Amino acid sequence: LDVFSEKSYDTATLNDIAKKANVTRGAIYWHFEDKIDILKELTNIHLGDFLKKTYSETLVLEGNSLKKIENLFMDYFEHFLNNPDNLKYKRIIDIKMAFNENNLFVQDIFGEIIDNMIKKTNEIIIYGQSKNEIRQDIYAVFFTGTILNWITEFDRMDCLNTKSGFSFLNNKDLILKKILEILKPFKE
């Protein structure tokens, strides 16, 4: 995690990792086939538990769809933005994915994860629309993409707004409230 964070995934070598871990390169190969294998393990550590908890507990709870979406935001913030190692992992992945969205690397590690996030979130939106908890005049897939983009981009948006003095992270509760208001059906 530290080596990929300091040097970037693409420029880090197994020698760098071995040196930082104070082991031989052979010891690294004993446990991992290559850098991709190491990144997969980091993904299991920093993303796997979060997704299991989110999709097995938070999103399947009985109740209002808007509450489930609120829980998704709050779980994300708690997991990534309040934990320096998880945030470090996220930034490594953001950089790798930003420049290689269509390559096999991203699909190999994240294809199933992304597909599952889209599917589960879309199910919540569709269910909420069927119960009139979420407005029906906009396609569910649009809301799904927008919600997942907002959730996963908060830390990057905060970096872009340092000059204006507005902090997305410091105002996450207000922003979440406004997003939930947009999702609510119009009152007649």
Side-chain angles (χ1 to χ4, degrees):
L1 184 66
D2 289 337
V3 172
F4 289 162
S5 180
E6 293 163 11
K7 294 192 171 214
S8 86
Y9 172 84
D10 289 327
T11 61
T13 66
L14 290 177
N15 284 336
D16 296 329
I17 294 167
K19 184 177 179 180
K20 181 79 171 184
N22 205 21
V23 298
T24 66
R25 187 175 166 160
I28 299 291
Y29 277 118
W30 182 259
H31 297 282
F32 303 100
E33 188 175 316
D34 52 22
K35 286 195 311 185
I36 291 175
D37 205 24
I38 294 170
L39 191 58
K40 285 179 183 177
E41 182 60 27
L42 288 172
T43 299
N44 287 334
I45 292 167
H46 295 282
L47 189 58
D49 288 341
F50 166 72
L51 291 175
K52 285 176 191 167
K53 177 187 180 279
T54 298
Y55 290 115
S56 68
E57 295 174 19
T58 305
L59 297 182
V60 297
L61 293 174
E62 293 294 322
N64 187 294
S65 298
L66 292 173
K67 185 64 178 165
K68 290 179 183 184
I69 292 168
E70 180 180 355
N71 288 344
L72 180 62
F73 271 85
M74 298 314 287
D75 288 349
Y76 178 86
F77 290 131
E78 181 64 32
H79 184 79
F80 285 103
L81 304 180
N82 292 333
N83 182 308
D85 284 343
N86 290 341
L87 186 57
K88 191 183 291 186
Y89 163 80
K90 182 190 178 308
R91 291 194 169 140
I92 292 166
I93 295 307
D94 285 347
I95 291 168
K96 185 65 180 163
M97 290 180 77
F99 298 107
N100 295 290
E101 290 177 355
N102 296 317
N103 74 13
L104 295 177
F105 171 87
V106 172
Q107 288 303 315
D108 184 38
I109 294 179
F110 297 102
E112 185 178 335
I113 292 169
I114 293 168
D115 288 347
N116 196 28
M117 288 177 69
I118 291 169
K119 180 181 175 214
K120 297 289 187 184
T121 306
N122 202 52
E123 287 172 4
I124 292 167
I125 299 296
I126 290 170
Y127 179 80
Q129 287 177 327
S130 75
K131 297 292 185 184
N132 203 34
E133 297 168 349
I134 295 176
R135 55 193 281 194
Q136 299 169 6
D137 62 323
I138 297 178
Y139 291 114
V141 70
F142 175 80
F143 279 144
T144 298
T146 303
I147 289 166
L148 292 176
N149 192 52
W150 270 93
I151 289 171
T152 60
E153 298 297 323
F154 256 93
D155 61 311
R156 284 201 249 183
M157 286 187 277
D158 211 49
C159 293
L160 297 174
N161 286 289
T162 54
K163 290 182 182 178
S164 71
F166 181 82
S167 169
F168 282 91
L169 297 178
N170 292 338
N171 290 286
K172 68 181 184 289
D173 293 331
L174 172 66
I175 293 168
L176 175 58
K177 178 182 173 190
K178 294 297 182 185
I179 290 170
L180 294 174
E181 284 176 13
I182 291 169
L183 292 173
K184 290 179 184 177
F186 297 117
K187 293 182 181 178
E188 296 182 28

